[in-house]
Amino acid sequence: MAAPALDDVELREAQRDYLDFLDDEEDQGVYQSKVRDMISDNQYRLIVNINDLRRKNEKRASRLLNSAFEELVAFQRALKDFVASVDATYSKQFEEFYIGLEGSFGSKHVTPRTLTSQFLSCIVCVEGIVTKCSLVRPKIVRSVHYCPATKKTIERRYTDLTSLEAFPSTAVYPTKDEENNPLETEFGLSTYKDHQTITIQEMPEKAPAGQLPRSVDIILDDDLVDRVKPGDRVQVIGTFRCLPGKKGGYTSGTFRTILIACQIKQMNKEARPEYSASDISKIKRFSKNRSKDIFDQLSKSLAPSIHGHEYIKKAILCMLLGGVEKVLENGSRLRGDINILLIGDPSVAKSQLLRYVLCTAPRAIPTTGRGSSGVGLTAAVTTDPETGERCLEAGAMVLADRGVVCIDEFDKMSDIDRTAIHEVMEQGRVTIAKAGIQAQLNARCSVLAAANPVYGRYDQYKTPMENIGLQDSLLSRFDLLFIVLDQMDPEQDREISDHVLRMHRYRAAGEQDGDAMPLGSTVELLATEDPGLTEEESQDLQVYEKHDNLLHGPKRQKEKIVSVEFMRKYIHVAKMLKPVLTEEAASIISQEYSSLRSQEQINSDVARTSPITARTLETLIRLSTAHAKARMSKTVDKQDAEAALELVQFAYFKKVLEKEKKRKKQAEDDTDEEIDGETAHESEKRPKRSRRKTRSGDREPAEGETYDPYDFSDTEEEMPEVQAHTPKTTQPSGTGDSGESTSKLAESRLKAFKAALLEVFRAAHAQSVGLKRLMESINQDNPNPFSSTEVRLALEQMQDDNQIMMSDDIIFLI
């Protein structure tokens, strides 16, 4: 427990020991140079490594850790003396100089759960996640008072239990001197210090199973305030002490404990990676060497543990790079953040893609649909427990300013909460007018959301809009909306199963094959620095990952995968660029935008995933800018605009660009269909059944096309595209008639045949008729009977006009 208070002799001896430690000119001069740096940086806290003190004076180090109050006071006085010997004027500028500790704390390296009473008045290192930060308030250190009657000035110092002094002073402000003369406070001459309280909670991965995480309060003073924000993972080194608590006028036996911090270290990945000159040159060389396919190369290296999803990976790369934000002279802002929504069947790796972004993006905050409310995402007005004042607490989107918010289970959010993020997604700010607080908070973040369709799985027979089930006002704010389907394809299923099995067989470099993993395989570090990390930093930055057959697959030996570390640094450098639109790219974008809009007018039945609004035009600009950043280019060129267009076409219409022929063919079909009104009328009477039949019946792709489940159609003209392949396989006998088929059947005979055929279908009350029965029915009571060649020719002609379909001598009416 706490050692008895040191008397003056011991205090002076301790001070001398610490002064000897700091004055290490004969040794290596480490701390002498550190103190000089501190003076030049205008700081008043010196960070001392406890290992150095242990090496030089082991007895002092152990006493410092065990009876912290007296020893720290002696250490800080020694520092002040040493600063005075180096620079006398500088030492008078500050009231006190502070010591911060780091290094190995051994048994005193604890979590909020293991911080027990045996550590009281010791120096401990606690690690955890910051959950709450109070406001920063001034706390008085010294007040100066002037007495007008006696013309004297008196001053008084204030200490409380959160400072290192053993006996705190009273907090009563003097208003009169000994002779009852009134005093005036000189506020300008009084000194104050900043004061903040934060709460640290134990990390969820270190909490024992089935128990709630514990937390501890921490007091920060002076230069330590505002160093952390909620959500940060930190290590706090400080003195653990208890405060007597008053209950009902008498002091109870249980005390409230706090930690008085002397040093804070952040443990999470830094928002700014460290660069060396060689790193920058590697990044430049990479962008020059791979200038043609750099975008593909980077997107393939995104989440290599997930198979496929080529376009989604490209879109996520664009999102990490972002567009260029513009603030116009009138104050309006054009956002540069790219928002993406993934909608699809269960088990298509949506959440895994979100998880990858969380690990790669410099600042990313995860939330889920049911786990977050509207105010939790934007901002909430709360009551400060210490003062009872109303204050604002930032939500997830405000904390992710200039970063990414990943929202999983987006469809499970209630509509009221979902509308809270409308303003953030377009304006990039949160406006609050509640409880007498009016505020605007910046929330310039990209949103990456994953959701399931309305019915849990994607329903092929409904349009994408019905499947998504979100309002257009929200969908138009997402730049790209991907529909991810779990399709049954034996070849692809085999590839995915190979990939997943390889992932499960893979073991990291340190693990032995076939060995049982030890319990608690992660060894806890009992120091503030990880020795392994410093070694890694000193190593060269690897551009490509070493090929591993299990991790990357035996087939992909030629493809090189870019390492995560290089990717992070490359994206960080590329984000700083601000490419400018060229005339050529601008004309392509405007032309394509107008064609997308007109396509919306003419073809209202092509399967569209989200509405095409003026925001789509900004989407094209943002995506092409992001593509230019990936190439490290200062201008947005034609190739960038084309890449952006390819992404938009894939996301909006769920089709790949090469399908120009299809639309022309459709237009021709429309004209042919108008000529023969009667057949069209008949087919319109029963469109639903026939469409359902053709969809479920025959799904093989036509030559040169891939079957696309997204080309939903509500008109008959488009249906034949699915069955267009059948005539090529059905008639081996048709080859003999090839000479005659060039001379088409006379118009009058064809009309007569169509009328007779229609009668047969009507009489049969069916959608299909056999060829044999058809011949008998049309030639019955017919003065000019049709020959079999004529029937074949007529059927061929009608099949070309997409009015019927013939397979195995059975005629189907479309």
Side-chain angles (χ1 to χ4, degrees):
M1 291 305 293
L6 294 173
D7 55 20
D8 281 356
V9 182
E10 284 187 34
L11 191 69
R12 275 202 294 278
E13 191 192 325
Q15 207 168 316
R16 205 175 305 116
D17 282 354
Y18 289 126
L19 197 56
D20 287 348
F21 166 70
L22 290 171
D23 194 0
D24 56 357
E25 206 169 354
E26 301 87 47
D27 192 10
Q28 286 170 334
V30 179
Y31 285 95
Q32 195 145 18
S33 60
K34 273 190 179 179
V35 169
R36 288 213 165 88
D37 291 347
M38 180 182 85
I39 294 172
S40 60
D41 293 346
N42 207 21
Q43 295 292 321
Y44 45 90
R45 188 177 296 272
L46 177 74
I47 306 300
V48 174
N49 195 323
I50 194 84
N51 302 345
D52 296 342
L53 182 61
R54 233 183 243 122
R55 220 171 286 130
K56 200 158 184 184
N57 191 337
E58 198 173 327
K59 180 171 141 249
R60 270 287 156 240
S62 70
R63 289 194 68 166
L64 174 64
L65 288 180
N66 289 319
S67 55
F69 287 96
E70 299 80 5
E71 294 288 326
L72 263 180
V73 170
F75 208 159
Q76 288 179 2
R77 283 186 193 168
L79 176 62
K80 186 156 189 175
D81 293 352
F82 186 60
V83 171
S85 69
V86 175
D87 186 338
T89 52
Y90 187 77
S91 69
K92 294 194 180 91
Q93 282 179 31
F94 296 103
E95 196 81 16
E96 273 186 65
F97 285 87
Y98 298 103
I99 292 286
L101 294 171
E102 62 178 16
S104 311
F105 290 91
S107 63
K108 293 193 169 46
H109 194 102
V110 290
T111 65
R113 183 178 296 277
T114 53
L115 190 61
T116 51
S117 59
Q118 66 183 29
F119 294 112
L120 280 170
S121 79
C122 297
I123 284 184
V124 289
C125 172
V126 180
E127 49 185 57
I129 296 177
V130 180
T131 53
K132 210 162 54 184
C133 289
S134 75
L135 301 178
V136 177
R137 293 212 166 72
K139 183 189 260 192
I140 191 156
V141 179
R142 189 181 77 215
S143 65
V144 177
H145 307 274
Y146 171 68
C147 175
T150 58
K151 302 271 193 301
K152 278 184 185 166
T153 310
I154 61 169
E155 67 173 47
R156 176 179 281 193
R157 294 178 62 87
Y158 298 86
T159 55
D160 61 1
L161 284 166
T162 63
S163 55
L164 294 175
E165 273 77 4
F167 304 106
S169 66
T170 59
V172 182
Y173 226 49
T175 51
K176 295 179 175 173
D177 64 1
E178 297 88 43
E179 291 149 21
N180 264 359
N181 295 322
L183 292 175
E184 292 174 3
T185 306
E186 297 284 350
F187 289 102
L189 296 173
S190 306
T191 49
Y192 301 87
K193 65 177 178 182
D194 292 327
H195 175 80
Q196 185 186 25
T197 318
I198 63 169
T199 306
I200 278 191
Q201 196 181 65
E202 151 179 50
M203 293 187 200
E205 61 266 24
K206 292 198 175 167
Q211 297 206 27
L212 283 176
R214 302 264 172 89
S215 53
V216 61
D217 287 342
I218 288 171
I219 304 283
L220 305 178
D221 282 332
D222 285 317
D223 58 330
L224 292 178
V225 298
D226 264 351
R227 287 264 289 271
V228 292
K229 60 178 192 309
D232 286 350
R233 288 169 175 251
V234 292
Q235 287 180 334
V236 181
I237 295 101
T239 319
F240 190 47
R241 84 176 296 173
C242 60
L243 310 177
K246 284 201 170 61
K247 279 188 188 170
Y250 61 88
T251 310
S252 72
T254 53
F255 286 1
R256 175 184 166 220
T257 53
I258 53 161
L259 188 71
I260 302 163
C262 67
Q263 157 77 329
I264 290 186
K265 285 191 79 118
Q266 294 228 11
M267 292 166 67
N268 35 350
K269 56 182 189 301
E270 288 303 310
R272 285 187 61 82
E274 296 293 318
Y275 291 102
S276 63
S278 67
D279 292 354
I280 302 284
S281 64
K282 275 180 185 165
I283 287 170
K284 280 185 178 167
R285 201 178 315 126
F286 180 78
S287 64
K288 282 200 181 83
N289 295 353
R290 306 298 303 252
S291 54
K292 280 182 187 152
D293 60 344
I294 189 161
F295 190 69
D296 294 341
Q297 171 76 48
L298 287 171
S299 66
K300 273 178 195 153
S301 310
L302 267 178
S305 61
I306 297 170
H307 183 272
H309 295 325
E310 177 190 350
Y311 280 98
I312 297 176
K313 288 182 181 180
K314 285 182 180 176
I316 285 177
L317 178 60
C318 284
M319 184 193 73
L320 290 172
L321 291 163
V324 172
E325 177 189 347
K326 290 187 173 60
V327 179
L328 306 180
E329 286 176 9
N330 61 1
S332 60
R333 170 182 174 272
L334 303 177
R335 69 181 164 101
D337 313 302
I338 295 169
N339 301 323
I340 300 174
L341 175 61
L342 308 176
I343 283 200
D345 296 337
S347 85
V348 283
K350 297 189 297 292
S351 300
Q352 288 296 332
L353 282 164
L354 263 66
R355 181 60 51 87
Y356 179 80
V357 171
L358 283 178
C359 299
T360 317
R363 175 177 291 157
I365 288 196
T367 64
T368 61
R370 290 311 294 149
S372 53
S373 62
V375 286
L377 285 171
T378 51
V381 176
T382 56
T383 311
D384 187 27
E386 285 181 18
T387 57
E389 289 174 18
R390 290 289 176 93
C391 61
L392 268 184
E393 280 203 10
M397 293 186 125
V398 180
L399 293 177
D401 189 29
R402 295 271 185 242
V404 184
V405 175
C406 298
I407 308 177
D408 208 350
E409 309 291 354
F410 191 61
D411 53 319
K412 314 290 187 300
M413 281 174 82
S414 66
D415 285 343
I416 302 165
D417 296 337
R418 221 182 276 134
T419 45
I421 67 174
H422 280 212
E423 183 193 15
V424 177
M425 287 176 71
E426 198 54 51
Q427 263 64 45
R429 62 159 193 253
V430 176
T431 314
I432 291 278
K434 297 177 189 170
I437 291 181
Q438 267 102 17
Q440 276 192 357
L441 309 173
N442 280 332
R444 297 155 295 190
C445 57
S446 304
V447 176
L448 174 61
N452 290 105
V454 177
Y455 311 99
R457 280 190 85 88
Y458 196 89
D459 186 348
Q460 296 278 357
Y461 301 115
K462 291 195 162 49
T463 59
M465 292 300 233
E466 288 170 347
N467 270 299
I468 293 165
L470 299 175
Q471 315 101 326
D472 280 5
S473 58
L474 181 62
L475 289 182
S476 67
R477 286 172 160 81
F478 281 106
D479 295 287
L480 294 170
L481 190 152
F482 289 101
I483 292 178
V484 201
L485 286 194
D486 180 14
Q487 283 169 325
M488 290 170 200
D489 172 12
E491 190 54 43
Q492 198 181 359
D493 290 347
R494 198 173 296 116
E495 281 182 22
I496 290 175
S497 59
D498 277 357
H499 181 83
V500 172
L501 287 166
R502 276 205 320 274
M503 288 295 125
H504 280 272
R505 283 170 54 205
Y506 172 73
R507 304 206 105 172
E511 294 177 44
Q512 289 184 10
D513 287 339
D515 245 17
M517 291 180 71
L519 291 170
S521 54
T522 52
V523 180
E524 286 186 22
L525 276 169
L526 300 178
T528 53
E529 281 121 20
D530 183 354
L533 257 178
T534 44
E535 283 171 29
E536 276 175 36
E537 281 168 14
S538 59
Q539 284 174 4
D540 270 357
L541 178 66
Q542 294 292 323
V543 178
Y544 295 109
E545 280 186 6
K546 204 169 147 195
H547 182 81
D548 184 307
N549 271 354
L550 285 181
L551 208 53
H552 306 124
K555 291 179 192 165
R556 297 176 69 176
Q557 259 175 343
K558 288 176 189 164
E559 291 179 25
K560 288 181 170 178
I561 301 287
V562 177
S563 70
V564 177
E565 192 53 40
F566 179 78
M567 179 86 109
R568 200 176 283 156
K569 290 189 176 180
Y570 188 90
I571 287 174
H572 195 87
V573 172
K575 261 180 113 164
M576 296 174 190
L577 295 175
K578 292 196 173 173
V580 186
L581 265 173
T582 58
E583 198 69 42
E584 187 182 19
S587 65
I588 290 177
I589 289 174
S590 62
Q591 184 185 337
E592 284 302 333
Y593 169 66
S594 55
S595 77
L596 278 174
R597 287 280 284 188
S598 59
Q599 192 173 329
E600 175 166 69
Q601 301 302 320
I602 304 161
N603 257 341
S604 55
D605 16 83
V606 173
R608 230 179 36 253
T609 55
S610 60
I612 293 174
T613 59
R615 286 182 177 143
T616 312
L617 179 60
E618 290 192 346
T619 294
L620 285 166
I621 298 168
R622 274 193 287 271
L623 290 172
S624 40
T625 313
H627 191 272
K629 283 183 176 183
R631 296 188 301 117
M632 293 270 183
S633 162
K634 291 199 172 71
T635 54
V636 180
D637 301 333
K638 182 183 171 187
Q639 55 172 332
D640 302 316
E642 283 167 356
L645 183 73
E646 190 182 349
L647 267 175
V648 166
Q649 285 274 21
F650 182 82
Y652 277 44
F653 296 103
K654 193 63 186 77
K655 66 176 179 201
V656 188
L657 270 188
E658 275 79 56
K659 295 204 173 175
E660 276 298 313
K661 302 168 198 162
K662 195 170 185 180
R663 225 173 290 136
K664 288 175 191 162
K665 185 174 168 190
Q666 218 169 288
E668 285 163 20
D669 288 351
D670 289 348
T671 51
D672 290 345
E673 203 82 3
E674 282 159 22
I675 297 166
D676 197 278
E678 213 176 347
T679 325
H681 176 69
E682 174 64 26
S683 56
E684 267 168 30
K685 275 187 191 170
R686 317 175 57 168
K688 280 200 177 149
R689 265 178 62 193
S690 64
R691 195 177 315 138
R692 188 64 59 94
K693 254 182 205 167
T694 48
R695 278 200 190 132
S696 52
D698 204 336
R699 285 244 177 92
E700 294 172 41
E703 283 182 22
E705 286 183 14
T706 51
Y707 163 66
D708 196 342
Y710 294 91
D711 281 333
F712 300 102
S713 53
D714 295 323
T715 57
E716 307 312 300
E717 305 97 271
E718 281 186 86
M719 287 320 297
E721 293 163 14
V722 180
Q723 304 105 355
H725 68 293
T726 41
K728 289 165 186 146
T729 55
T730 51
Q731 17 182 161
S733 58
T735 49
D737 302 338
S738 58
E740 292 173 53
S741 63
T742 50
S743 58
K744 285 195 170 181
L745 200 61
E747 196 66 38
S748 55
R749 288 292 274 166
L750 182 60
K751 250 185 183 169
F753 176 76
K754 280 183 180 175
L757 178 63
L758 211 49
E759 281 305 319
V760 173
F761 275 120
R762 275 196 186 136
H765 293 298
Q767 293 281 312
S768 57
V769 170
L771 185 60
K772 203 172 177 187
R773 182 178 163 196
L774 175 72
M775 291 289 286
E776 288 167 10
S777 305
I778 56 174
N779 287 336
Q780 195 178 359
D781 310 328
N782 192 347
N784 322 342
F786 291 94
S787 70
S788 62
T789 315
E790 274 184 314
V791 170
R792 284 265 181 212
L793 273 176
L795 287 174
E796 257 180 57
Q797 218 162 321
M798 284 179 78
Q799 186 156 313
D800 288 344
D801 291 346
N802 292 317
Q803 290 159 353
I804 60 152
M805 180 183 115
M806 193 169 157
S807 171
D808 300 335
D809 286 351
I810 295 172
I811 294 104
F812 297 94
L813 177 64
I814 293 176

